[in-house]
Amino acid sequence: MVAHHGVAVLVRLDSGVERQIWLAPRQRAVAGDRVRVFAGRLVVEPAHGILRRRDARGRDRTIAVNLDWLGIVVAPEPREPPGYIDRGFVIARTAGIEVDVILNKFDLEAANPLADRLDEIYGDSGTVHRVSATAGEGIGAIAEALSGGRLGALVGPSGVGKSSLLNALVPDLSLAVSDLNRKSQKGRHTTTTATLHAVSGGGLLLDTAGFKDFTAVDVDPLDVARFFPGFEKVVLADCRFRDCLHRSEPGCAVLAAVGSGGIPPRRYRAYLELLDEIGSPSRPSSG
Ligand SMILES: Nc1nc2c(ncn2[C@@H]2O[C@H](COP(=O)(O)OP(=O)(O)OP(=O)(O)O)[C@@H](O)[C@H]2O)c(=O)[nH]1
Ligand SMILES: [Mg+2]
Ligand SMILES: [Zn+2]
């Protein structure tokens, strides 16, 4: 399924032709769903790689399904909220989705030091792509990450350039793009609905509406302990307890790595913050 239009959805048939199909009452479908069309009706097949988040109002939202890959897009301007990338990694990995970080607007001067910092933090967890949608630099690597018919999505705060990247990747595509708000330097929530596009090399890539609250759904503390980015250096099997949360357990390999400088204290503090938040899901999100 390619796009959602409220009471109807746009479906791409095997022939490549796109067709609008009415949804049955209470029927649900999201971009990325594999569907069959039978007598003018939609049959939605079971999905894997389900990416969800909780929005500022506490509602659970499905961003996309059947994802093999997630590109978390950030930029020197506007900067993402603290912990955004960490949450993205944990949420996606828990759902079995591979993650890369995409630093867009690499043409801006502030991008260089930011790229080095991102590499330092996330270099062991995924690729940190340095790209510029407007200069057309580095974007081929995004298509490559999807080669072999993989399905991916770009997510990130409003204004980092997700739609601009798709426009650069897909010939003849002209998704709406807007300048940042001059006062706040934030995005304007230009994209309001996810859309799916074929990129060169055979992959499929979703543009999504920007959001700042990447709050986890279906993630428990043990998922955070397993999937927090940067803990790959530590062999988690080395923790004495299989369900170690790396707080104060004896024989914890993560604590040992923090002690010996293998994991920076800042990263460990970020981990504890996310762990506390996941452990108390009733706390209202600050948005
Ligand atoms: N300098 C620079 N500006 C860029 C680049 N890519 C995008 N922009 C600008 O960033 C602004 C926002 O781009 P969009 O593509 O609309 O951002 P988005 O992430 O799709 O935003 P939402 O749809 O609101 O989530 C526009 O003014 C773009 O021209 C880039 O590589 N370099
Ligand atoms: Mg957009
Ligand atoms: Zn441990």
Side-chain angles (χ1 to χ4, degrees):
M1 193 202 100
V2 176
H4 201 297
H5 297 149
V7 292
V9 295
L10 195 63
V11 169
R12 182 174 301 138
L13 305 174
D14 289 337
S15 62
V17 172
E18 292 184 355
R19 227 178 107 192
Q20 179 121 319
I21 306 285
W22 297 101
L23 289 170
R26 280 186 299 281
Q27 186 171 33
R28 280 168 183 270
V30 297
D33 259 326
R34 292 184 206 287
V35 299
R36 282 175 294 133
V37 180
F38 187 73
R41 283 296 186 195
L42 199 68
V43 182
V44 181
E45 301 198 336
H48 72 270
I50 302 172
L51 187 69
R52 304 172 77 201
R53 70 179 178 99
R54 184 156 297 145
D55 71 12
R57 291 185 184 161
R59 288 175 307 190
D60 292 355
R61 323 263 294 209
T62 302
I63 302 166
V65 301
N66 292 318
L67 292 180
D68 303 303
W69 179 87
L70 182 70
I72 303 174
V73 185
V74 296
E77 207 172 67
R79 285 304 309 274
E80 76 284 1
Y84 194 94
I85 304 176
D86 294 339
R87 293 148 186 271
F89 264 99
V90 171
I91 293 168
R93 286 170 160 182
T94 302
I97 303 164
E98 185 192 322
V99 185
D100 281 342
V101 176
I102 297 172
L103 172 59
N104 188 34
K105 311 196 187 183
F106 198 65
D107 52 289
L108 300 182
E109 214 162 300
N112 250 307
L114 178 58
D116 292 343
R117 262 207 313 286
L118 291 173
D119 251 336
E120 213 175 285
I121 300 174
Y122 300 107
D124 292 329
S125 311
T127 307
V128 178
H129 298 279
R130 303 170 181 217
V131 307
S132 170
T134 47
E137 265 175 44
I139 53 171
I142 299 175
E144 257 167 54
L146 298 168
S147 66
R150 301 214 301 166
L151 176 59
L154 298 181
V155 297
S158 176
V160 293
K162 301 174 295 296
S163 302
S164 301
L165 284 169
L166 269 147
N167 285 340
L169 275 162
V170 180
D172 298 328
L173 186 66
S174 52
L175 297 170
V177 160
S178 346
D179 289 344
L180 304 185
N181 180 306
R182 249 201 295 148
K183 262 204 189 135
S184 71
Q185 290 301 310
K186 294 217 161 115
R188 298 175 187 270
H189 294 281
T190 308
T191 305
T192 53
T193 182
T195 55
L196 184 84
H197 308 277
V199 298
S200 67
L204 294 166
L205 186 58
L206 274 157
D207 184 24
T208 70
F211 56 86
K212 62 178 185 208
D213 36 81
F214 211 159
T215 307
V217 183
D218 302 332
V219 170
D220 63 37
L222 210 50
D223 295 320
V224 186
R226 284 202 186 114
F227 296 127
F228 192 77
F231 286 7
E232 298 84 4
K233 303 175 211 160
V234 179
V235 185
L236 293 182
D238 283 354
C239 290
R240 186 177 306 160
F241 302 111
R242 267 189 56 197
D243 56 353
C244 186
L245 291 179
H246 325 311
R247 276 187 193 280
S248 54
E249 294 88 340
C252 172
V254 169
L255 286 170
V258 174
S260 68
I263 293 177
R266 271 187 71 168
R267 294 300 296 151
Y268 183 63
R269 280 199 298 277
Y271 165 72
L272 289 179
E273 260 170 49
L274 188 54
L275 189 65
D276 283 344
E277 185 190 295
I278 301 286
S280 49
S282 57
R283 201 201 295 170
S285 150
S286 58

